[in-house]
Amino acid sequence: MISEQLKSGPSTKQFNSDDTLRIGECTVHKRQLEAFCTSCHVLICPTCLMFGDHKGHLVDQMDKATKDIRSSMDQAAKDGILRLEKTETVLVDIRHTKLTFEESKQKVLKEVEQTFAAIFKLIKQRKDEVINLINQHYEIQVNNIDTQEQIWMDKQSRAYDVIKLAKSTNDYQLLEKATYILESLEILRQTPTYKNVYIVNSIDTTFNLNNISLNLSEFQKGLQNWIKLGDSVLIQFKC
Ligand SMILES: [Zn+2]
Ligand SMILES: [Zn+2]
């Protein structure tokens, strides 16, 4: 017999640890619990029945109620609905469904990880390339400027030398340095020209692919909404 399945009311303590029925007291009315409300399936006192929450409900004597419950349980046992396999097969199905969900979640999360890892890698790679391009560009341009700086420092030093030699009274020294002096005068007589060098004004952030071109804010907007949950698959489980 499975007497633990007896449903009890909220205010009653009908059971001892040895499962024998012991009549308690109604906690609302402090009277002896004397009958079983067959509408609410709880033990009630006479005041419950006459004036309380169970007014007008159908009641049974306790021994009759006990008999009815026992016979319901016996019938259920005969019908086989208490058999372990009966609930076990459903539980197996439910637990299998839980497992399927956990596996599916892990699979999708892994897919997210891999997708973003690949994109992060590409973005980092592209960033390094762009930085390299900028460094190369500036290196070439600055080299150009450095070369000119060197040339004009050389001119300045020739001018300084010529001034010094012009002040000298040593004729022999002048003749000895004639080539240098005349070459320097020639060089210093040249008028400065202009050379073109280029600075990078900005970076072009247009996103281009197959004749589609997106500006940065369109591209960012696309990124913000990128990746949604894909198709869902219907799973049924027995319950
Ligand atoms: Zn009562
Ligand atoms: Zn009732």
Side-chain angles (χ1 to χ4, degrees), residues 11 25-33 43-49 52-54:
S11 60
E25 208 177 50
C26 172
T27 54
V28 183
H29 308 108
K30 307 292 174 207
R31 294 186 65 183
Q32 197 69 24
L33 294 164
L43 287 165
I44 58 172
C45 79
T47 307
C48 285
L49 179 61
D53 291 346
H54 302 276

mmCIF file of all heavy atoms in Angstrom, residues 11 25-33 43-49 52-54, ligand 1:
data_model
loop_
_atom_site.group_PDB
_atom_site.id
_atom_site.type_symbol
_atom_site.label_atom_id
_atom_site.label_comp_id
_atom_site.label_asym_id
_atom_site.label_seq_id
_atom_site.Cartn_x
_atom_site.Cartn_y
_atom_site.Cartn_z
ATOM 1 N N SER A 11 -3.384 22.390 6.879
ATOM 2 C CA SER A 11 -3.340 22.685 8.302
ATOM 3 C C SER A 11 -3.349 21.427 9.168
ATOM 4 O O SER A 11 -3.632 21.498 10.336
ATOM 5 C CB SER A 11 -4.534 23.555 8.662
ATOM 6 O OG SER A 11 -5.719 22.831 8.346
ATOM 7 N N GLU A 25 -5.686 18.504 15.137
ATOM 8 C CA GLU A 25 -6.600 19.573 15.473
ATOM 9 C C GLU A 25 -6.660 20.541 14.291
ATOM 10 O O GLU A 25 -5.654 20.755 13.618
ATOM 11 C CB GLU A 25 -6.016 20.297 16.699
ATOM 12 C CG GLU A 25 -7.037 20.947 17.572
ATOM 13 C CD GLU A 25 -6.377 21.582 18.786
ATOM 14 O OE1 GLU A 25 -5.399 22.335 18.596
ATOM 15 O OE2 GLU A 25 -6.835 21.314 19.921
ATOM 16 N N CYS A 26 -7.795 21.121 14.051
ATOM 17 C CA CYS A 26 -7.912 22.126 12.985
ATOM 18 C C CYS A 26 -7.156 23.374 13.454
ATOM 19 O O CYS A 26 -7.442 23.901 14.526
ATOM 20 C CB CYS A 26 -9.386 22.457 12.725
ATOM 21 S SG CYS A 26 -9.586 23.845 11.603
ATOM 22 N N THR A 27 -6.208 23.825 12.683
ATOM 23 C CA THR A 27 -5.410 24.971 13.134
ATOM 24 C C THR A 27 -6.195 26.273 13.031
ATOM 25 O O THR A 27 -5.839 27.257 13.651
ATOM 26 C CB THR A 27 -4.103 25.101 12.317
ATOM 27 O OG1 THR A 27 -4.467 25.140 10.940
ATOM 28 C CG2 THR A 27 -3.153 23.961 12.572
ATOM 29 N N VAL A 28 -7.277 26.255 12.260
ATOM 30 C CA VAL A 28 -8.086 27.475 12.139
ATOM 31 C C VAL A 28 -9.059 27.578 13.320
ATOM 32 O O VAL A 28 -9.159 28.613 13.967
ATOM 33 C CB VAL A 28 -8.875 27.487 10.810
ATOM 34 C CG1 VAL A 28 -9.669 28.799 10.665
ATOM 35 C CG2 VAL A 28 -7.933 27.298 9.631
ATOM 36 N N HIS A 29 -9.724 26.447 13.603
ATOM 37 C CA HIS A 29 -10.801 26.501 14.606
ATOM 38 C C HIS A 29 -10.444 25.824 15.929
ATOM 39 O O HIS A 29 -11.246 25.826 16.851
ATOM 40 C CB HIS A 29 -12.066 25.865 14.022
ATOM 41 C CG HIS A 29 -12.445 26.452 12.686
ATOM 42 N ND1 HIS A 29 -12.305 25.784 11.483
ATOM 43 C CD2 HIS A 29 -12.911 27.691 12.361
ATOM 44 C CE1 HIS A 29 -12.686 26.548 10.479
ATOM 45 N NE2 HIS A 29 -13.053 27.732 10.981
ATOM 46 N N LYS A 30 -9.285 25.227 15.996
ATOM 47 C CA LYS A 30 -8.825 24.520 17.196
ATOM 48 C C LYS A 30 -9.796 23.405 17.630
ATOM 49 O O LYS A 30 -9.971 23.133 18.811
ATOM 50 C CB LYS A 30 -8.614 25.500 18.385
ATOM 51 C CG LYS A 30 -7.720 26.669 18.066
ATOM 52 C CD LYS A 30 -6.291 26.231 17.844
ATOM 53 C CE LYS A 30 -5.447 27.424 17.375
ATOM 54 N NZ LYS A 30 -4.293 26.972 16.567
ATOM 55 N N ARG A 31 -10.482 22.817 16.676
ATOM 56 C CA ARG A 31 -11.368 21.688 16.995
ATOM 57 C C ARG A 31 -10.795 20.429 16.371
ATOM 58 O O ARG A 31 -9.972 20.477 15.478
ATOM 59 C CB ARG A 31 -12.767 21.949 16.443
ATOM 60 C CG ARG A 31 -13.470 23.125 17.110
ATOM 61 C CD ARG A 31 -14.902 23.248 16.631
ATOM 62 N NE ARG A 31 -15.738 22.101 17.034
ATOM 63 C CZ ARG A 31 -17.012 21.959 16.686
ATOM 64 N NH1 ARG A 31 -17.606 22.858 15.920
ATOM 65 N NH2 ARG A 31 -17.712 20.908 17.093
ATOM 66 N N GLN A 32 -11.291 19.321 16.872
ATOM 67 C CA GLN A 32 -10.835 18.023 16.380
ATOM 68 C C GLN A 32 -11.205 17.863 14.896
ATOM 69 O O GLN A 32 -12.320 18.192 14.483
ATOM 70 C CB GLN A 32 -11.539 16.932 17.214
ATOM 71 C CG GLN A 32 -10.901 15.568 17.129
ATOM 72 C CD GLN A 32 -9.545 15.537 17.828
ATOM 73 O OE1 GLN A 32 -9.271 16.328 18.721
ATOM 74 N NE2 GLN A 32 -8.706 14.630 17.397
ATOM 75 N N LEU A 33 -10.249 17.379 14.094
ATOM 76 C CA LEU A 33 -10.558 17.076 12.694
ATOM 77 C C LEU A 33 -11.380 15.792 12.675
ATOM 78 O O LEU A 33 -10.947 14.769 13.200
ATOM 79 C CB LEU A 33 -9.270 16.891 11.900
ATOM 80 C CG LEU A 33 -8.405 18.143 11.754
ATOM 81 C CD1 LEU A 33 -7.005 17.770 11.300
ATOM 82 C CD2 LEU A 33 -9.039 19.116 10.771
ATOM 83 N N LEU A 43 -8.699 16.857 5.559
ATOM 84 C CA LEU A 43 -9.443 16.605 6.790
ATOM 85 C C LEU A 43 -9.969 17.939 7.316
ATOM 86 O O LEU A 43 -9.266 18.952 7.250
ATOM 87 C CB LEU A 43 -8.514 15.943 7.826
ATOM 88 C CG LEU A 43 -8.170 14.475 7.530
ATOM 89 C CD1 LEU A 43 -6.992 14.034 8.387
ATOM 90 C CD2 LEU A 43 -9.383 13.576 7.785
ATOM 91 N N ILE A 44 -11.158 17.925 7.820
ATOM 92 C CA ILE A 44 -11.754 19.179 8.300
ATOM 93 C C ILE A 44 -12.440 18.971 9.649
ATOM 94 O O ILE A 44 -12.727 17.838 10.034
ATOM 95 C CB ILE A 44 -12.775 19.747 7.287
ATOM 96 C CG1 ILE A 44 -13.887 18.717 7.019
ATOM 97 C CG2 ILE A 44 -12.103 20.156 5.994
ATOM 98 C CD1 ILE A 44 -15.037 19.259 6.181
ATOM 99 N N CYS A 45 -12.696 20.076 10.346
ATOM 100 C CA CYS A 45 -13.413 20.013 11.618
ATOM 101 C C CYS A 45 -14.873 20.415 11.373
ATOM 102 O O CYS A 45 -15.204 20.915 10.301
ATOM 103 C CB CYS A 45 -12.742 20.929 12.646
ATOM 104 S SG CYS A 45 -13.164 22.667 12.446
ATOM 105 N N PRO A 46 -15.767 20.199 12.331
ATOM 106 C CA PRO A 46 -17.179 20.534 12.124
ATOM 107 C C PRO A 46 -17.391 22.013 11.785
ATOM 108 O O PRO A 46 -18.274 22.347 10.990
ATOM 109 C CB PRO A 46 -17.830 20.183 13.471
ATOM 110 C CG PRO A 46 -16.933 19.124 14.043
ATOM 111 C CD PRO A 46 -15.552 19.461 13.616
ATOM 112 N N THR A 47 -16.587 22.893 12.369
ATOM 113 C CA THR A 47 -16.748 24.322 12.079
ATOM 114 C C THR A 47 -16.361 24.642 10.624
ATOM 115 O O THR A 47 -17.016 25.460 9.965
ATOM 116 C CB THR A 47 -15.898 25.170 13.053
ATOM 117 O OG1 THR A 47 -16.216 24.772 14.383
ATOM 118 C CG2 THR A 47 -16.177 26.664 12.897
ATOM 119 N N CYS A 48 -15.281 23.953 10.137
ATOM 120 C CA CYS A 48 -14.891 24.099 8.717
ATOM 121 C C CYS A 48 -16.111 23.817 7.828
ATOM 122 O O CYS A 48 -16.372 24.513 6.860
ATOM 123 C CB CYS A 48 -13.811 23.089 8.338
ATOM 124 S SG CYS A 48 -12.174 23.470 8.939
ATOM 125 N N LEU A 49 -16.821 22.754 8.186
ATOM 126 C CA LEU A 49 -17.923 22.279 7.358
ATOM 127 C C LEU A 49 -19.151 23.187 7.471
ATOM 128 O O LEU A 49 -19.792 23.499 6.473
ATOM 129 C CB LEU A 49 -18.286 20.845 7.770
ATOM 130 C CG LEU A 49 -19.458 20.220 7.002
ATOM 131 C CD1 LEU A 49 -19.152 20.135 5.511
ATOM 132 C CD2 LEU A 49 -19.790 18.846 7.569
ATOM 133 N N GLY A 52 -17.007 27.357 7.826
ATOM 134 C CA GLY A 52 -15.692 27.721 7.275
ATOM 135 C C GLY A 52 -15.584 27.561 5.752
ATOM 136 O O GLY A 52 -16.588 27.614 5.027
ATOM 137 N N ASP A 53 -14.356 27.338 5.303
ATOM 138 C CA ASP A 53 -14.045 27.243 3.864
ATOM 139 C C ASP A 53 -14.746 26.068 3.184
ATOM 140 O O ASP A 53 -14.812 26.028 1.960
ATOM 141 C CB ASP A 53 -12.526 27.081 3.670
ATOM 142 C CG ASP A 53 -11.786 28.346 4.046
ATOM 143 O OD1 ASP A 53 -12.454 29.407 4.190
ATOM 144 O OD2 ASP A 53 -10.539 28.274 4.209
ATOM 145 N N HIS A 54 -15.167 25.074 3.967
ATOM 146 C CA HIS A 54 -15.723 23.862 3.350
ATOM 147 C C HIS A 54 -17.242 23.778 3.487
ATOM 148 O O HIS A 54 -17.823 22.712 3.327
ATOM 149 C CB HIS A 54 -15.049 22.623 3.966
ATOM 150 C CG HIS A 54 -13.573 22.639 3.805
ATOM 151 N ND1 HIS A 54 -12.915 22.214 2.673
ATOM 152 C CD2 HIS A 54 -12.594 23.123 4.631
ATOM 153 C CE1 HIS A 54 -11.619 22.390 2.812
ATOM 154 N NE2 HIS A 54 -11.393 22.959 4.004
HETATM 155 ZN ZN ZN B 1 -11.897 23.806 11.170
#
